[in-house]
Amino acid sequence: MKRLAILLSGRGSNFEAIARNISEGKLEAEIAVVVSNNPDAKGLETAAGLGLKTVCLPSKGVDTGVWAAGAVEALRPFEADLICLAGFMRRVGGPLLEAYAGRILNIHPSLLPSFPGLHVQQQALDYGVKYSGCTVHFVDAGLDTGAIVKQAAVEVKDSDDADTLAARILVEEHRIYSEAIALVLSGRFKIQGRRVVETQARTAGV
Ligand code: GRF
């Protein structure tokens, strides 16, 4: 069974959706550990309540690279195949990127490359786009720049504010993150330039 490490900083609803999909048999994987850089993250409490292993590595005042090196050490015993950032509100430092090259995913609440960074739904409203959405992408050294695995579009309504738009996008996040994880864990894709292209399952004997 492939092993996931979840990194989160707050509410943890994407983590909960992943855990639910696993327990309902919709996603074949196990959560080896949930790591938070924020001791007060609700997601950490939820994980402990579900009986999952948790690690808290506070990042306040800690250099990004130093935190990442500590995270690599903390993650080692859990032998994760894939790291899933789920509302992880820090940049991923070099040591983590190197140790898990091509094995870190993030979920972002816009249709990248539009609106990277923070306050994303407000950015979308201020720009006046008619559609926004969410993106699951591989993590590289840039800010929300890695190759895109899955996206889902959501209509922006005239009546929307940042909260109502975020809530509708979140529904799609919860769906596509598990789909993207399943695809990446299956290994049935190749990366051509920036494009993540799905490949067919190899049939035995063919
Ligand atoms: C989500 O909108 C995610 O896309 C973004 O941060 C938010 C985290 O929400 N990266 P949650 O902690 O998963 O509920």
Side-chain angles (χ1 to χ4, degrees):
M1 187 75 82
K2 299 280 188 180
R3 298 166 66 78
L4 306 178
I6 309 281
L7 267 58
L8 53 76
S9 303
R11 180 178 57 181
S13 73
N14 275 287
F15 147 63
E16 283 186 67
I18 293 165
R20 194 166 47 244
N21 283 330
I22 289 174
S23 70
E24 290 175 359
K26 294 177 186 158
L27 174 62
E28 208 178 307
E30 62 184 298
I31 296 176
V33 63
V34 175
V35 178
S36 180
N37 64 319
N38 170 15
D40 300 323
K42 177 172 172 272
L44 208 51
E45 207 180 301
T46 309
L50 290 173
L52 296 169
K53 302 257 170 57
T54 60
V55 172
C56 182
L57 284 178
S59 66
K60 205 171 179 186
V62 182
D63 168 80
T64 302
V66 171
W67 191 88
V72 170
E73 286 313 310
L75 283 167
R76 203 182 302 284
F78 298 101
E79 301 183 326
D81 296 292
L82 186 67
I83 294 181
C84 301
L85 309 185
F88 180 67
M89 302 307 282
R90 277 201 66 152
R91 295 294 289 272
V92 172
L96 261 176
L97 286 173
E98 283 153 28
Y100 293 90
R103 294 194 293 146
I104 308 179
L105 291 178
N106 182 42
I107 178 102
H108 182 80
S110 76
L111 291 175
L112 290 169
S114 293
F115 316 127
L118 297 174
H119 311 300
V120 170
Q121 290 84 8
Q122 193 59 51
Q123 285 190 57
L125 290 172
D126 291 347
Y127 198 93
V129 292
K130 300 299 184 190
Y131 285 87
S132 189
C134 50
T135 304
V136 180
H137 63 92
F138 283 105
V139 174
D140 63 13
L143 178 63
D144 301 322
T145 52
I148 291 170
V149 182
K150 294 249 175 210
Q151 291 189 305
V154 167
E155 192 174 358
V156 179
K157 297 186 177 165
D158 291 346
S159 57
D160 267 332
D161 60 23
D163 290 338
T164 58
L165 179 57
R168 279 208 318 290
I169 291 174
L170 200 61
V171 174
E172 296 301 304
E173 293 185 38
H174 293 170
R175 179 175 65 80
I176 69 166
Y177 208 175
S178 290
E179 291 176 6
I181 292 167
L183 173 63
V184 171
L185 290 181
S186 77
R188 288 188 203 121
F189 67 96
K190 55 189 173 186
I191 301 184
Q192 297 175 331
R194 285 195 49 89
R195 300 184 69 195
V196 176
V197 178
E198 292 190 39
T199 55
Q200 292 304 312
R202 274 226 301 271
T203 314
V206 175

